[in-house]
């Protein structure tokens, strides 16, 4: 039979062997077209008397990488994955799956429904559905335990972890590992089935030994480790049903799957998945980046050494510049410590660590030694005079065409660029601490930054394994600008009646990893104190000022590092600082405020409304390209809970009109802080959504 070119599924017959190839680039997602064509092909081959064995494989970089996530949330169209799996498993003709690349979710379910599985060396398998708020819905929760046992299936399905072919073989998820092209291995595997050298069976006919203790233990653990997440417990429920006869188990799985499909967490998690990929769709996308071979970093402090570590881990040679030998030594020690951490986490070999420190990392106190770098990142402290002086010097020494980047978190990059004769080469690359771990990189585009320099910023992020988000110049860019705004809400709430711990608890209940007062204690309260003192002269007269944090700092309590801050750190768990409660009471009294109570819901509402409001202003001013860019900044740089999708996604779940109403209510107490952003007003008037702005 001739191949049907351009089809998502093609059939090729070689005597009594039939090869079925899936070809749906880029990742062979199990779209409706693939499900339908696969069903049709298998049914036809099963009825074909000439065919004695079928081998199913995929073209391109991977076997089926899962369900087509773009179809989630849309009305499902049969045949469903579960139907395709039933067709495969029930076929009278033996079917062997030959898998490669990332065989995930629906791809692994298809493979488990075949009668034998051969994986190419290097294959990765897993059930990532839980990370998208789902359970495997194509029989995975029923067939996986039948080969791996309940404990291993729970581990795979509730975590979404990906494992290599060798581990998959040990667990029984695959039968053999082979090397060669998928098509060649498909032919050899089909031949092995015919000769009896590769055994076939129907996994659905196996039985699972009940293990109520494992089910109870998983439920218990997940209650502690994933208290906010809906899907992990649902995975346990589905796996527990695998002790039933296969069709009953599949019916239970289907009901649970549909429950997950309908959950708001599923929509948020899918949004987060696409957010990660949407942010690189920028106006400069088609512009080729400049060559990036050697990097330079100026400043060996926390940020500079973190950035240098990230670049070294990505394989770049880096020259680190500092003003004196002592600072250089500190920087080098910090980098060595970061690399040690990478060795401990299994990300780096001991030999590679030594190699990086002896050959890839160079240090200097002379900026002239950076001349040959393709891109230099300045990461000295936040002082405009120091930065402009450095950029003036870089202008004199760097080779033509080098990208001159600043890691400033707040300062005006146009002013920094103006200190050079080549403002087109200047860009902001705002890393987040610890820079070798945090995934976010704000690529800040100044007025004169050229398109290829922007493209180079994005190319660098990719090489560093980071998620780049395009931002415009303003005080704090996307993330810090929005954060400076909503952070004030915490102080206002404390002054008006909430305790810091009640605010932390409410926001942790919403899903933030750590409440804002705990974060303050961790970061050191003295940092924000210094910045408040610096900005005191320019603070708007109408802005409400809450002096509580100043009083805490005046007492010498800077948070964890001094043993006391909003909390006292004298035992295994921090406890609220009673002296802070006294300061709060005094300040309220001085201001004539009678404290009122705030429910957790009201705390979260005010906090999130402030975040969304400033997000809307950032969008309106063109600082962020789309709402999804703001979501990505908060998801990947500020610990916003993934299952909430990001602040702008969350905004749509409330609705623009309701948000406007909230702001108007809050404005009755503080009309300076709470103003309705024009964009939100427009969306409320038109019944518009932030999601629609992503699509524009
Ligand atoms: N459905 C629809 N589209 C998908 C997809 C899926 N399951 N998986 C990936 N894509 C798309 C991506 O959005 C991207 O599209 P774009 O180029 O338009 O942005 C493209 O395929 C390539 O994906 P990308 O992640 O950039 O490629 P990669 O090689 O780095 O990684 C995977 C490939 C398969 C490992 C990764 O995409 C992945 O983890 N996908 C999700 C798998 C999954 O969760 N499956 C179970 C679904 S229930």
């Amino acid at each position: 039979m001739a191949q049907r070119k351009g089809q998502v599924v093609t059939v090729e017959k070689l005597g009594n062997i039939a090869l079925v190839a899936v070809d749906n680039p880029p990742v062979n997602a199990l779209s409706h077209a693939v499900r339908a064509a696969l069903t049709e092909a298998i049914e036809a081959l099963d009825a074909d008397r000439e065919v004695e064995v079928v081998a199913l494989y995929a073209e391109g970089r991977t076997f089926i990488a899962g369900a087509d996530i773009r179809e989630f949330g849309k009305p499902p169209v049969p045949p469903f994955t579960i139907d395709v799996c039933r067709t495969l498993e029930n076929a009278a003709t033996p079917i062997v799956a030959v898998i490669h690349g990332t065989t995930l979710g629906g791809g692994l379910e298809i493979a488990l429904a075949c009668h034998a599985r051969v994986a190419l060396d290097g294959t990765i398998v897993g059930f990532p559905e839980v990370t998208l708020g789902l359970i495997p819905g194509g029989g995975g929760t029923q067939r996986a335990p039948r080969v791996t046992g309940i404990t291993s299936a729970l581990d795979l399905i509730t975590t979404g972890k990906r494992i290599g072919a060798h581990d998959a073989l040990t667990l029984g998820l695959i039968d053999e590992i082979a090397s060669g092209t998928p098509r060649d291995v498909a032919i050899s595997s089909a031949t092995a089935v015919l000769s009896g050298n590769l055994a076939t069976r129907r996994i659905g006919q196996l039985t699972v030994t009940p293990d109520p203790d494992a089910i109870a233990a998983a439920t218990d653990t997940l209650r502690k480790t994933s208290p906010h997440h809906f899907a992990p417990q649902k995975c346990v429920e589905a796996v527990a049903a695998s002790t039933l006869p296969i069709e009953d188990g599949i019916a239970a799985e289907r009901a649970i799957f549909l429950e997950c499909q309908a959950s708001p967490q599923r929509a948020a998690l899918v949004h987060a998945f696409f957010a990660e990929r949407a942010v690189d769709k920028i106006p400069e996308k088609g512009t080729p980046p400049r060559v990036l071979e050697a990097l330079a970093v100026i400043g060996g402090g926390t940020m500079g050494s973190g950035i240098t570590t990230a670049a070294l881990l990505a394989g770049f040679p880096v020259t680190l510049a500092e003003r004196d030998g002592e600072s250089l030594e500190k920087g080098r020690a910090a980098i060595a410590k970061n690399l040690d951490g990478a060795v401990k986490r299994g990300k780096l070999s001991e030999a590679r660590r030594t190699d990086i420190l002896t050959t890839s990392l160079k240090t200097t106190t002379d900026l002239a030694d950076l001349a040959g770098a393709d891109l230099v990142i300045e990461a000295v402290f936040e002082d405009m005079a120091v930065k402009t002086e450095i950029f003036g010097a870089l202008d004199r020494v760097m080779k033509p065409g080098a990208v001159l980047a600043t890691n400033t978190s707040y300062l005006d990059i146009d002013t920094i660029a103006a200190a050079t004769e080549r403002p087109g080469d200047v860009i902001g690359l705002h890393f987040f601490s610890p820079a070798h771990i945090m995934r976010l990189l704000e690529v800040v585009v100044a007025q004169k930054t050229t398109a290829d320099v922007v493209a180079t910023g994005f190319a660098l992020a990719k090489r560093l394994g980071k998620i780049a988000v395009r931002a415009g110049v303003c005080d704090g860019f996307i993330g810090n600008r929005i954060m400076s705004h909503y952070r004030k809400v915490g102080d206002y709430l404390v002054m008006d009646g909430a305790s810091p711990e009640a605010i932390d608890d409410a926001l942790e209940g919403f899903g933030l990893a750590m409440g804002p007062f705990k974060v303050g204690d961790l970061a050191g309260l003295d940092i924000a104190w210094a910045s408040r003192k610096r900005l005191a002269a320019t603070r708007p007269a109408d802005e409400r000022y809450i002096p509580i944090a100043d009083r805490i700092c005046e007492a010498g309590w800077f948070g964890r590092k001094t043993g006391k801050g909003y909390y006292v750190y004298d035992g295994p768990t921090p406890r609220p600082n009673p002296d802070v409660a006294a300061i709060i009471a005094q300040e309220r009294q001085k201001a004539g405020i009678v404290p009122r109570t705030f429910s957790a819901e009201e705390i979260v509402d005010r906090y999130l409304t402030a975040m969304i409001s400033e997000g809307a202003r950032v969008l309106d001013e063109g600082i962020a390209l789309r709402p999804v860019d703001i979501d990505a900044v908060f998801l990947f740089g500020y610990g916003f809970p993934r299952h909430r999708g990001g602040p702008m996604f969350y905004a749509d779940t409330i609705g623009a009109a309701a948000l406007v109403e909230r702001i108007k209510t809050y404005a009755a107490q503080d009309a300076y802080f709470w103003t309705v952003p024009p964009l939100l007003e427009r969306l409320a008037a038109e019944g518009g959504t932030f999601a629609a702005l992503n699509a524009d």
Side-chain angles (χ1 to χ4, degrees):
M1 195 191 290
Q3 288 210 19
R4 294 175 286 173
K5 286 274 173 226
Q7 303 277 315
V8 289
V9 170
T10 59
V11 174
E12 184 185 0
K13 274 170 66 177
L14 305 169
N16 55 356
I17 294 177
L19 301 182
V20 177
V22 177
D23 189 9
N24 182 28
V27 298
N28 286 314
L30 200 54
S31 63
H32 174 253
V34 173
R35 298 195 304 270
L38 202 49
T39 306
E40 194 191 318
I42 297 298
E43 281 173 353
L45 292 171
D46 200 28
D48 185 334
R49 282 163 181 252
E50 273 177 28
V51 175
E52 289 178 37
V53 59
V54 176
L56 171 64
Y57 72 98
E59 300 285 357
R61 59 170 139 153
T62 180
F63 189 72
I64 299 164
D68 190 335
I69 301 174
R70 285 169 211 280
E71 289 179 3
F72 289 4
K74 298 188 184 147
V77 185
F80 306 129
T81 304
I82 193 64
D83 303 322
V84 188
C85 289
R86 195 178 283 119
T87 305
L88 286 163
E89 186 161 81
N90 293 345
T93 314
I95 305 172
V96 55
V98 173
I99 63 176
H100 74 290
T102 40
T103 299
L104 302 171
L108 184 53
E109 291 179 306
I110 291 283
L112 288 169
C114 294
H115 306 127
R117 282 145 296 284
V118 177
L120 298 199
D121 215 354
T123 304
I124 304 282
V125 306
F127 288 113
E129 288 86 345
V130 70
T131 63
L132 297 166
L134 286 169
I135 64 161
T141 63
Q142 305 303 301
R143 290 195 180 88
R146 281 173 159 76
V147 285
T148 67
I150 289 210
T151 304
S152 299
L154 283 172
D155 180 37
L156 275 176
I157 295 171
T158 61
T159 61
K161 70 157 88 149
R162 298 168 185 208
I163 59 170
H166 291 274
D167 288 338
L169 185 66
T170 311
L171 286 179
L173 287 167
I174 59 168
D175 303 304
E176 274 183 17
I177 298 175
S179 46
T181 66
R183 185 176 173 278
D184 287 349
V185 175
I187 297 170
S188 57
S189 303
T191 311
V193 169
L194 285 179
S195 63
N197 288 328
L198 178 59
T200 57
R201 60 181 173 170
R202 291 190 174 78
I203 290 178
Q205 290 176 355
L206 305 177
T207 51
V208 178
T209 312
D211 191 348
D213 289 347
I215 298 289
T219 309
D220 216 40
T221 307
L222 289 170
R223 211 169 275 141
K224 291 184 198 113
T225 56
S226 295
H228 303 295
H229 299 114
F230 178 75
Q233 295 288 4
K234 293 286 154 190
C235 292
V236 179
E237 256 180 58
V239 170
S242 65
T243 53
L244 300 172
I246 185 80
E247 280 305 327
D248 295 348
I250 280 176
E253 180 194 80
R254 178 91 196 137
I256 299 169
F257 177 82
L258 291 177
E259 215 186 313
C260 293
Q261 254 300 22
S263 92
Q265 288 202 359
R266 193 271 312 149
L269 288 164
V270 169
H271 174 77
F273 175 86
F274 283 119
E276 188 174 335
R277 288 153 181 84
V279 287
D280 87 335
K281 302 199 167 64
I282 52 166
E284 296 82 4
K285 180 102 178 142
T287 311
R290 294 186 186 175
V291 170
L292 276 183
E293 274 161 16
L295 301 191
V297 175
I298 305 172
T302 309
M303 284 315 293
S305 55
I307 295 167
T308 306
T309 309
L312 291 167
L313 284 171
F316 284 106
V318 187
T319 309
L320 174 68
E322 256 293 1
R323 61 192 154 191
D324 53 47
E326 197 188 323
S327 311
L328 266 184
E329 269 329 296
K330 276 194 193 147
R332 185 177 265 281
I335 293 161
K337 198 165 159 229
N338 292 342
L339 294 176
D340 287 344
V343 172
K344 270 198 209 109
R345 289 194 307 278
K347 303 257 177 220
L348 188 71
S349 71
E350 197 61 64
R352 179 87 190 102
R353 173 195 175 276
T354 310
D355 190 41
I356 286 176
L357 287 174
T358 48
T359 54
S360 306
L361 175 64
K362 303 256 182 312
T363 54
T364 182
T365 51
D366 184 357
L367 287 189
D369 289 338
L370 311 185
D374 300 304
L375 183 146
V376 53
I377 303 168
E378 164 277 313
V380 304
F381 52 92
E382 292 283 78
D383 182 311
M384 186 57 100
V386 177
K387 296 213 190 234
T388 48
E389 192 190 322
I390 288 176
F391 273 75
L394 286 176
D395 196 20
R396 289 189 292 279
V397 301
M398 297 305 291
K399 69 178 180 187
V403 173
L404 315 182
T406 171
N407 175 54
T408 180
S409 14
Y410 284 96
L411 299 179
D412 183 350
I413 300 175
D414 289 319
T415 308
I416 297 174
T420 74
E421 295 291 318
R422 36 175 145 171
D425 293 343
V426 177
I427 193 163
L429 292 178
H430 181 213
F431 289 78
F432 289 72
S433 188
H436 59 296
I437 292 180
M438 293 295 284
R439 295 188 71 204
L440 178 66
L441 178 66
E442 279 182 325
V443 176
V444 191
V445 181
Q447 244 165 34
K448 296 194 173 145
T449 311
T450 60
D452 63 337
V453 168
V454 179
T456 310
F458 273 74
L460 174 70
K462 202 166 189 105
R463 296 261 300 269
L464 299 182
K466 303 216 175 286
I467 299 168
V469 176
R470 191 187 191 282
V473 174
C474 71
D475 198 48
F477 319 126
I478 298 177
N480 281 346
R481 152 109 181 244
I482 296 174
M483 186 182 71
S484 324
H485 185 72
Y486 67 69
R487 210 161 48 183
K488 291 177 188 149
V489 173
D491 294 333
Y492 297 161
L493 283 165
V494 167
M495 193 66 166
D496 293 338
S499 66
E501 54 279 12
I503 296 170
D504 281 352
D505 286 351
L507 289 160
E508 286 167 21
F510 176 78
L512 294 189
M514 211 187 242
F517 293 99
K518 281 192 197 140
V519 171
D521 273 3
L522 186 64
L525 301 175
D526 49 328
I527 298 168
W529 189 32
S531 135
R532 283 196 301 277
K533 284 193 271 194
R534 198 175 58 238
L535 296 173
T538 54
R539 189 178 309 125
D542 292 338
E543 188 177 275
R544 210 176 157 199
Y545 188 73
I546 309 296
I548 294 168
D550 294 347
R551 297 278 317 276
I552 296 173
C553 289
E554 282 157 17
W557 303 325
F558 296 156
R560 270 188 201 222
K561 60 185 169 190
T562 57
K564 260 187 187 184
Y566 287 98
Y567 295 84
V568 181
Y569 300 88
D570 58 359
T573 42
R575 60 188 169 88
N577 184 349
D579 297 325
V580 165
I583 291 177
I584 294 171
Q586 284 162 16
E587 290 303 325
R588 283 178 188 152
Q589 203 178 17
K590 258 195 247 169
I593 291 171
V594 181
R596 55 167 284 217
T597 49
F598 290 91
S599 67
E601 191 188 352
E602 191 170 0
I603 291 169
V604 170
D605 285 355
R606 283 179 180 250
Y607 210 79
L608 268 293
T609 306
M611 197 185 275
I612 293 162
S613 299
E614 196 64 5
R617 292 187 192 101
V618 158
L619 267 175
D620 228 5
E621 291 170 27
I623 301 297
L625 288 176
R626 296 150 300 207
V628 69
D629 294 84
I630 298 177
D631 287 340
V633 164
F634 281 88
L635 287 170
F636 305 114
Y638 292 80
F640 194 90
R642 211 177 152 94
H643 68 277
R644 304 280 189 182
M648 308 320 281
F649 177 88
Y650 183 71
D652 278 348
T653 67
I654 305 166
L659 284 162
V660 167
E661 277 319 300
R662 270 189 197 173
I663 296 170
K664 286 184 178 159
T665 313
Y666 303 154
Q669 295 137 29
D670 181 355
Y672 179 84
F673 183 80
W674 293 106
T675 57
V676 178
L679 172 60
L680 203 57
E681 186 101 66
R682 289 200 300 278
L683 291 181
E686 297 158 8
T689 61
F690 287 108
L693 301 179
N694 285 329
D696 288 350

